Amino acid sequence: MSLLSQPVFRFAPSPNGHLHLGHALSALLNFDAAQDSGGRFLIRIEDIDTVRCTSALVRDALEDLAWLGLTWEEPVRRQSEHFADYAAALLRLEEMGLVYRAFLTRSEIRDFVARVETGGRAYPRDPDGAPLYPGDEAVLSADEIAARDAAGESFALRLDMKKALARIGKPLFWMEEGSGPQGETGRLPADPSVWGDVVIARKDTPTSYHLSVTVDDALQGITHVMRGRDLFQATSVHRLLQEVLGLPEPCYHHHRLLLDHDGRKLSKSARDTSLRDLRRQGCSAQDIRRLVGLA
Ligand code: GLU
């Protein structure tokens, strides 16, 4: 197989806790797909939250993955070592006039939404259930916005969704090789507008999940993004950023999630399913494969 057509897969955990069975499923699916297709397998550590993603947790995550039997290309990309790459992409978005400073705090947004809803109107929410950003002008006067700016108050940098969509000026799609929550598969329409003005960066962090994942998938030449179905809807935002920034389009494969006894997605706090604990209890890597349904 020529290098050009060689598929490139990645497993991209955010180690703000120990890896659990849900991570094992995703990592093994990516690793197996790379092996089966003669492709490459990369690990990327998504640790832009440098407070919660400690070096000890990163070290433990890599140790767990090695114990599972995975091998990967070195060096592992740690996002915390590449803020300059995301800042460069952010600057391009700013130069296109697609990013603005958003000063409303969470509680100001919450109060605004409550006021609208007591008036009997439903307030629009994104696929994760968070209210869409109302815009500073909905709550603050022009003087108040200018005063916050002048005082150096903290802000989020948000993508002006309407402007970004207008700039693209054509419908967006992505290739889904797995399936969405409703069984969606094949060439699917992307609808980033359901997210409103997403956060692209913050005053003290020149990136966000959406920006760094999009930049890195392109920089690392990822051809196949295989990840949990909880990120299915986020793909619309990633497709938009790819188009605006002129980045290549990978294909996507969203996979099933492992649920806990109450039907919720496994979380890092679900200590009973952490790979460390299972290993301490005597599980083998082969047992983990069986536990996640990949015997
Ligand atoms: N770092 C993200 C997570 O752990 C996954 C990002 C992705 O696969 O696109 O949820």
Side-chain angles (χ1 to χ4, degrees), residues 220-236:
Q220 296 191 288
I222 303 300
T223 58
H224 290 71
V225 173
M226 192 182 267
R227 61 187 177 191
R229 212 163 270 157
D230 52 328
L231 292 169
F232 179 79
Q233 301 279 1
T235 308
S236 288

Side-chain angles (χ1 to χ4, degrees), residues 205-217:
T205 312
T207 192
S208 63
Y209 160 62
H210 292 309
L211 185 62
S212 43
V213 83
T214 306
V215 166
D216 278 352
D217 282 338

